[in-house]
Amino acid sequence: MTTPVRPRSPRARAELEAMARKLEATGDYRILRRIAPREWFSTAGEKGEFQRRGEVRNGLILDVETTGLDHKKDRIIELGMIAFEFEPGGTVFRVTGAYSGFQDPGQPIPPEITKLTGITDEMVAGQAIDPVEVAGFADAASVVIAHNAGFDRKFVEHVWEIFRMKAWACSQTGIDWAAEGAEGTKLGYLLGKAGLFHDGHRATEDCRALLEVLARPLPVAGCTALGALLAGARQATMRIRAEGSPFDMKDALKARGYRWNDGSDGQPKAWWRDVPEPELEAEMAFLRTEIYRRQDLDLPVRRVTAFDRYSDRV
């Protein structure tokens, strides 16, 4: 349940902030600050410098709430989008638009989904997400970002064809959060590490919260989280499917980072892994030597880019 926020005068806010800083200075307290919607993240002057060089891009963060986990049979019940400007190195300039819409799924929302999201049948009754708004936001974006892109992308491109033609990035898996000292990748945890909190599980609020995380510098890499995400998204990977691998090698494959696909997405049942292009030969050598134990190995390998990563086409 969302906690109402009482409006406060600038003086009251300054006094509360001073109190928070005093508590933090003792070393005995950590203070979380509620995210307040804002337009600008960097100065207009800084944006202007990149604009003169033609380096301002449009990004889109989206989040969906759905009736379940299967994009082929379940339905979107809420879509949230935040459009923003950035430069290729990862500096966020400003928010340029926001959209939030409910969709009547034509079926009762499961109780567990209502408990998780707070969305009821009454809230979505007769509601429809505006396809014109969706097309406008998506068309301008050079990259679409979601915190679980493997989930969100499949749902939105199943409904709106335009998302199939976009480059995608996943802020949950596309950044090495462990190397940055994070013990988890859930959005609420990452916000807490940044000293922030928000009212989660509503689509637009989650999008704003994610942008706050992406705009901040990473403690180890030094660049912004968005910069690290974009750098990784630009790199092609090679998807290896270890089809017909010996059953007793499943633990070794799992330890290596392979994931099991049960075939429900139309792809073969197999352990699979994405590796950077330069590491392909080393990975194939590992499979020949440690898993299949034969040299005449011919496995399906596909090159994956941001334009098809996280879709159901690979």
Side-chain angles (χ1 to χ4, degrees):
M1 181 179 294
T2 301
T3 303
V5 181
R6 293 178 300 172
R8 298 185 177 94
S9 67
R11 180 178 177 180
R13 290 197 298 269
E15 290 174 349
L16 290 171
E17 181 62 25
M19 292 168 59
R21 291 182 182 278
K22 190 172 182 179
L23 286 170
E24 289 175 323
T26 68
D28 295 325
Y29 298 90
R30 291 180 180 176
I31 307 297
L32 299 182
R33 292 163 173 81
R34 183 190 294 273
I35 292 174
R38 56 173 171 158
E39 178 184 359
W40 284 94
F41 286 73
S42 301
T43 66
E46 186 176 5
K47 175 192 168 183
E49 294 177 9
F50 286 98
Q51 205 165 27
R52 284 190 289 274
R53 299 199 296 265
E55 295 180 352
V56 174
R57 305 285 186 269
N58 294 306
L60 181 65
I61 295 176
L62 66 74
D63 182 58
V64 295
E65 303 294 352
T66 68
T67 59
L69 302 177
D70 188 343
H71 70 281
K72 294 180 180 178
K73 67 176 184 178
D74 292 309
R75 299 290 182 266
I76 294 171
I77 54 177
E78 185 185 21
L79 171 67
M81 298 184 290
I82 294 291
F84 66 100
E85 294 174 328
F86 69 97
E87 56 85 21
T91 301
V92 176
F93 297 126
R94 70 184 183 105
V95 171
T96 57
Y99 176 83
S100 178
F102 287 122
Q103 178 75 37
D104 189 334
Q107 61 191 53
I109 298 174
E112 62 272 19
I113 298 299
T114 294
K115 183 178 180 180
L116 177 66
T117 65
I119 301 174
T120 66
D121 291 327
E122 292 73 23
M123 293 167 66
V124 302
Q127 299 293 311
I129 295 170
D130 187 342
V132 176
E133 290 274 12
V134 173
F137 273 78
D139 185 60
S142 60
V143 63
V144 180
I145 300 170
H147 199 58
N148 183 1
F151 176 83
D152 293 83
R153 176 169 190 171
K154 292 181 178 68
F155 269 94
V156 297
E157 69 178 18
H158 188 69
V159 180
W160 300 289
E161 184 74 19
I162 191 170
F163 287 111
R164 290 180 172 269
M165 300 177 284
K166 293 296 175 178
W168 280 74
C170 179
S171 52
Q172 186 173 48
T173 62
I175 296 171
D176 191 347
W177 292 111
E180 298 297 330
E183 297 176 359
T185 61
K186 288 186 176 180
L187 180 56
Y189 177 83
L190 297 175
L191 282 171
K193 288 285 288 183
L196 303 169
F197 76 96
H198 81 311
D199 298 309
H201 282 303
R202 291 302 299 273
T204 304
E205 286 78 5
D206 284 354
C207 291
R208 288 191 183 277
L210 179 55
L211 186 57
E212 290 285 346
V213 171
L214 293 176
R216 283 168 162 73
L218 296 171
V220 177
C223 62
T224 64
L226 177 62
L229 178 63
L230 294 174
R234 294 182 187 111
Q235 302 301 312
T237 53
M238 306 302 289
R239 177 158 298 184
I240 305 170
R241 297 190 185 278
E243 294 183 7
S245 58
F247 179 78
D248 59 356
M249 290 290 105
K250 62 182 179 62
D251 290 337
L253 288 166
K254 189 174 181 180
R256 184 79 171 184
Y258 283 80
R259 299 166 62 185
W260 174 251
N261 182 61
D262 62 6
S264 60
D265 60 356
Q267 299 293 340
K269 289 185 178 182
W271 291 93
W272 65 272
R273 184 187 182 198
D274 288 346
V275 300
E277 278 188 289
E279 298 177 17
L280 176 61
E281 288 307 315
E283 193 62 27
M284 294 301 292
F286 163 79
L287 291 170
R288 294 187 188 100
T289 305
E290 304 294 333
I291 303 301
Y292 293 87
R293 296 175 182 173
R294 58 188 179 88
Q295 296 302 306
D296 59 334
L297 187 62
D298 184 20
L299 293 177
V301 178
R302 176 169 178 173
R303 189 174 187 269
V304 180
T305 72
F307 287 93
D308 49 19
R309 192 173 291 130
Y310 311 116
S311 74
D312 58 5
R313 301 189 297 278
V314 293

